[in-house]
């Protein structure tokens, strides 16, 4: 069969189950693993890789704004699952776009479901107002039909399609976090289930991240950002843009609300069952309330941005500092609850 | 947040897409629920979209007046900025900055025009014209 004929042959994994998820990376990797027979939810994938975070990275700019992340950097979730599941993942990037396309087609022809990193902007199935130049998006390709790739994008309720030229552009977009055609898939998987000790280890690791000494990460990162907000002038377009940007990072696509706090609460509930420690379920309830506080912070900020309330950087800084104080105490309790027996 | 509080405010920026958010069901379990969006998100997303649109329309005005280039308009129209356009074309920022000027743009070779058109996902004819 020549190349042209092979490209016309539709390939699709008919057994593949799409899942609507709160976050692209945890959604993609949990779908990919379930397809391989691992019993894992999105929340478990997120928690088991210790992905919850807060980071204020003023030196990484996106559209002139500093990066404010409520989770660990891209690929942290996938890589973080390797050890607890005793799995290995293949990651491939390409210097030549054509090679990246050929490799994707080859893997699909082998019957694999493949994860991709991509830009959001160049994916035509996204609504216009959601299309920004953000390169850290993740999606799954489960087949191909004619010139269309069959895509499971966790942001969407159902599967979507994308023409090959558009997907190609999205995979090889340039700029911060440039994907370079990155694709990934599991090579070997040792455990088909989640071990209690791995869950406790992941919780302790996450507490360490949140309570750690780096001034821009975790609780200290929140305090530093609060300090930065407090210094902003009340009457300035830049202030509006800056605080609005923080909320976009917290509530926009792919956080499941409240900067992942609700997703992590869902994980803690599962963790309570897996480890047989009901205390973790109580802490899940606490974290849900903490998440409500983050949403109150978002609401207060949006009202000021919109001019319904007077812009008051001091008040926003206080709300953020309050989150820092509450989370500092919470993660100490969580660390204690996840101690080895 | 419990599942009855999950916002269903028909956020315009989502254009009908429902996103998954986690919320507490009546039995206390955290579950993923489809949300039609929250006004808070709409406000901050529109703020960012509007900022980009303003840049594009300001660039359009100056390009039409001859004090800016069509390249500057298309750069903002495609939601890019100087840094991203430079990275997408593989050119130095100082060169791109020069090409954003009307004089620099007028001198562009066919090859460079096609580099820019490619990076912006438009044709050369489009790049040279204004809406």
């Amino acid at each position: 069969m020549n190349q042209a004929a092979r490209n016309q042959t539709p390939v699709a994994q008919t057994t593949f189950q799409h899942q609507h998820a709160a976050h692209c990376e945890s959604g993609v990797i949990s779908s990919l693993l379930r397809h391989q027979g691992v019993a894992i939810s999105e929340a478990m994938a997120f928690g088991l890789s210790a992905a919850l975070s807060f980071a204020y990275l003023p030196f990484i700019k996106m559209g002139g704004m500093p990066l404010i992340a409520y989770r660990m950097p891209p690929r942290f979730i996938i890589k973080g699952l390797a050890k607890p599941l005793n799995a290995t993942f293949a990651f491939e990037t390409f210097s030549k776009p054509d090679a990246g396309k050929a490799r994707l087609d080859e893997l699909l022809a082998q019957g694999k479901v493949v994860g991709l990193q991509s830009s959001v902007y160049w994916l035509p199935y996204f609504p216009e107002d959601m299309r920004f130049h953000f390169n850290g998006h993740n999606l799954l390709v489960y087949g191909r039909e004619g010139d269309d790739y069959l895509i499971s994008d966790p942001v969407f309720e159902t599967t979507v399609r994308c023409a090959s030229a558009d997907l190609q552009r999205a995979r090889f977009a340039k700029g911060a976090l440039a994907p370079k055609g990155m694709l990934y898939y599991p090579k070997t998987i040792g455990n088909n289930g989640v071990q209690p000790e791995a869950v406790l280890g992941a919780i302790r690791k996450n507490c360490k991240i949140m309570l750690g000494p780096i001034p821009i990460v975790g609780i200290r990162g929140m305090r530093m950002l609060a300090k930065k907000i407090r210094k902003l002038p009340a009457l300035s377009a830049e202030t509006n843009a800056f605080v609005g940007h923080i909320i976009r990072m917290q509530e926009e696509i792919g956080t499941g609300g409240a900067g992942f706090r609700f997703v992590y609460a869902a994980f803690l509930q599962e963790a309570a069952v897996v480890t047989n420690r009901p205390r973790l379920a109580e802490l899940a309830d606490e974290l849900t309330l903490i998440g409500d506080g983050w949403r109150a912070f978002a609401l207060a900020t949006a009202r000021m941005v919109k001019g319904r309330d007077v812009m008051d950087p001091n008040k926003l800084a206080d709300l953020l500092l309050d989150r820092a104080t509450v989370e500092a105490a919470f993660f100490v309790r969580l660390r204690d609850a996840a101690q080895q027996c | 947040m419990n599942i009855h509080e999950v916002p269903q405010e028909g956020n315009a920026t989502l254009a009908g897409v429902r996103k998954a958010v986690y919320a507490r069901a009546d039995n206390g379990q955290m579950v993923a629920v489809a949300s039609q969006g929250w006004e808070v998100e709409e406000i901050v997303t529109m703020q960012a979209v509007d900022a980009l649109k303003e840049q594009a329309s300001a660039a359009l005005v100056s390009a039409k007046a001859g004090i800016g280039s069509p390249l500057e308009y298309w750069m903002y129209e495609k939601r890019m900025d100087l840094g991203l356009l430079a990275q997408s074309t593989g050119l130095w920022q100082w060169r791109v900055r020069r090409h954003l000027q009307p004089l620099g743009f007028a001198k562009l070779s066919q090859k460079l025009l096609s580099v820019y058109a490619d990076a912006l996902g438009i044709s050369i004819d489009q790049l040279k014209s204004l809406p």
Side-chain angles (χ1 to χ4, degrees), chain A:
Chain A
M1 202 173 7
N2 65 29
Q3 185 70 33
R6 191 164 58 215
N7 284 349
Q8 292 311 308
T9 320
V11 281
Q13 294 314 299
T14 43
T15 54
F16 176 75
Q17 286 282 322
H18 172 73
Q19 180 205 17
H20 191 205
H23 175 52
C24 63
E25 188 172 339
S26 51
V28 157
I29 197 62
S30 57
S31 286
L32 201 50
L33 288 168
R34 273 198 308 275
H35 183 67
Q36 306 281 336
V38 182
I40 191 166
S41 67
E42 183 199 8
M44 181 52 81
F46 188 83
L48 194 57
S49 54
L52 189 71
S53 185
F54 182 92
Y56 167 48
L57 306 166
F59 41 83
I60 302 182
K61 300 269 194 224
M62 274 172 27
M65 287 289 179
L67 190 60
I68 295 155
Y70 290 76
R71 53 138 175 140
M72 295 303 280
R75 262 184 300 149
F76 188 88
I77 296 179
I78 302 170
K79 287 187 169 167
L81 290 174
K83 204 173 141 198
L85 294 177
N86 191 16
T88 49
F89 296 97
F91 292 96
E92 297 174 18
T93 55
F94 305 88
S95 52
K96 293 204 175 66
D98 287 345
K101 184 173 190 299
R103 180 67 176 143
L104 175 60
D105 290 341
E106 184 187 345
L107 289 167
L108 289 174
Q110 288 171 15
K112 287 207 163 61
V113 176
V114 184
L116 296 181
Q117 186 188 339
S118 82
S119 150
V120 173
Y121 183 82
W122 298 105
L123 294 173
Y125 60 80
F126 266 85
E128 183 64 25
D129 287 335
M130 286 166 85
R131 290 174 64 182
F132 290 88
H133 288 284
F134 171 66
N135 284 331
H137 188 56
N138 287 275
L139 53 87
L140 281 175
V141 183
Y142 68 95
R144 167 170 189 162
E145 226 177 85
D147 188 49
D148 279 354
Y149 285 99
L150 307 178
I151 290 175
S152 160
D153 189 318
V155 171
F156 294 81
E157 280 182 271
T158 55
T159 54
V160 289
R161 283 165 170 263
C162 183
S164 63
D166 294 322
L167 186 64
Q168 193 65 355
R169 195 164 251 286
R171 290 180 66 196
F172 289 92
K174 303 279 173 44
L177 306 174
K180 298 189 182 112
M182 160 86 65
L183 59 79
Y184 49 87
Y185 52 90
K187 281 202 293 198
T188 57
I189 297 170
N191 304 339
N192 273 345
V194 175
Q195 315 297 320
E197 197 36 58
V199 171
L200 293 176
I203 294 175
R204 289 194 298 270
K205 182 177 171 193
N206 219 138
C207 293
K208 212 170 177 180
I209 293 169
M210 292 305 294
L211 300 168
I214 305 169
I216 56 173
V217 176
I219 310 298
R220 293 196 63 189
M222 294 174 203
R223 296 211 163 108
M224 179 174 272
L225 181 59
K227 208 182 277 176
K228 161 88 187 168
I229 295 174
R230 205 179 293 284
K231 281 189 207 144
L232 295 170
L235 295 170
S236 136
E238 281 81 43
T239 302
N240 268 4
F242 185 83
V243 297
H245 171 76
I246 299 173
I247 302 310
R248 268 187 73 214
M249 299 280 103
Q250 180 185 313
E251 295 291 336
E252 255 234 3
I253 47 166
T255 80
F260 299 106
R261 269 56 187 168
F262 295 146
V263 182
Y264 202 77
F267 157 71
L268 287 179
Q269 286 186 338
E270 279 192 50
V273 177
V274 173
T275 61
N276 199 16
R277 293 194 184 191
R279 170 79 181 128
L280 293 175
E282 291 167 29
L283 288 162
D285 291 346
E286 275 189 44
L287 187 59
T288 306
L289 291 176
I290 291 175
D292 289 342
W294 281 105
R295 288 183 55 95
F297 168 63
L299 181 63
T301 309
R303 287 186 62 87
M304 289 185 197
V305 165
K306 194 82 181 162
R308 289 178 196 158
D309 292 328
V310 180
M311 176 57 69
D312 183 355
N314 262 317
K315 189 181 163 199
L316 295 180
D318 286 343
L319 284 172
L320 185 54
L321 268 189
D322 177 53
R323 285 307 87 199
T325 309
V326 173
E327 289 206 351
F330 171 81
F331 283 102
V332 169
R333 286 199 294 280
L334 182 59
R335 188 181 60 194
D336 294 343
Q339 282 316 316
Q340 276 158 315
C341 16

